[in-house]
Amino acid sequence: VQLVESGGGLVQAGGSLRLSCVISEFTFADYAVSWFRQAPGKEREGVSCSSTGDRETYVVDAVKGRFTSSTDDAKNTVYLQMNDLKPEDTATYYCAVGFYDCMGSFMSSSWAAKSTYWGKGTQVTVSS
């Protein structure tokens, strides 16, 4: 299983970026794809979770109304559309896949630990 993120970069506050996560060599039907981020000197935090089962997407309050996640099944790609970016959104963003249901795992202390496969991340830097 390979996850490859792309789309990061440097953007001014208020700008937008769309991150992509291409998932390859993965043939399971029911799984969850989550986006996490980690800023220098800070703990990793979850951003969004999408389940293939119920097709629901959950986003944390810090990005609600600004970030959305979507999936293109034909391309095996998950996107994170980030609008109205703020300097505090600066971080390395990772996508991760796991065999869990988002409703039960989203925001739980075990959310990241349940994610089995991880990409290497893409850097997002938002200047003020």
Side-chain angles (χ1 to χ4, degrees), residues 52-102:
T52 59
D54 60 10
R55 289 290 186 179
E56 289 288 339
T57 296
Y58 303 82
V59 295
V60 299
D61 287 344
V63 304
K64 191 170 291 184
R66 300 188 298 121
F67 291 12
T68 58
S69 181
S70 60
T71 302
D72 185 334
D73 292 333
K75 295 182 178 180
N76 293 327
T77 301
V78 179
Y79 302 100
L80 183 68
Q81 178 67 44
M82 307 186 297
N83 300 324
D84 190 22
L85 283 160
K86 303 177 180 181
E88 52 263 42
D89 295 319
T90 295
T92 300
Y93 284 71
Y94 302 88
C95 65
V97 169
F99 304 103
Y100 55 85
D101 185 80
C102 288

Side-chain angles (χ1 to χ4, degrees), residues 7-22:
L10 174 63
V11 64
Q12 288 188 333
S16 298
L17 286 173
R18 188 178 77 160
L19 305 184
S20 300
C21 173
V22 178

